[in-house]
Amino acid sequence: RFATSAHATLRSATRVRTHYSWLGVPPTASADEIKAAYRQRALECHPDMVPAEGKSAAEAEFLRVSEAFAVLGDTTQREAYDRAIGVGRSSSP
């Protein structure tokens, strides 16, 4: 569940990073598009794939990307997330 205060904070931020933005997909993306985007982003920011000096930042980004996929890759969690951030989208097949 998403706390109301977190929802308010999310809307008031000037540059909002959503799970969709972490994966680089629009809220209308299909499940297959989300899965493909996750795989691409996970390869790009995986800590084992970056030089040692960038490992810390890569680990943080990898965790965000993984969390985004965990939510958006599950239909029930995605619907709850969309409601929490006020995103309306048409049903995916």
Side-chain angles (χ1 to χ4, degrees), residues 21-65:
S21 67
W22 282 109
L23 295 179
V25 296
T28 56
S30 69
D32 288 339
E33 290 170 323
I34 288 171
K35 187 175 186 176
Y38 165 70
R39 288 180 175 176
Q40 179 63 41
R41 293 287 293 126
L43 284 174
E44 291 171 358
C45 64
H46 194 282
D48 292 343
M49 303 298 283
V50 298
E53 63 273 2
K55 257 191 206 309
S56 181
E59 287 172 355
E61 187 168 351
F62 183 76
L63 288 175
R64 289 184 189 107
V65 168

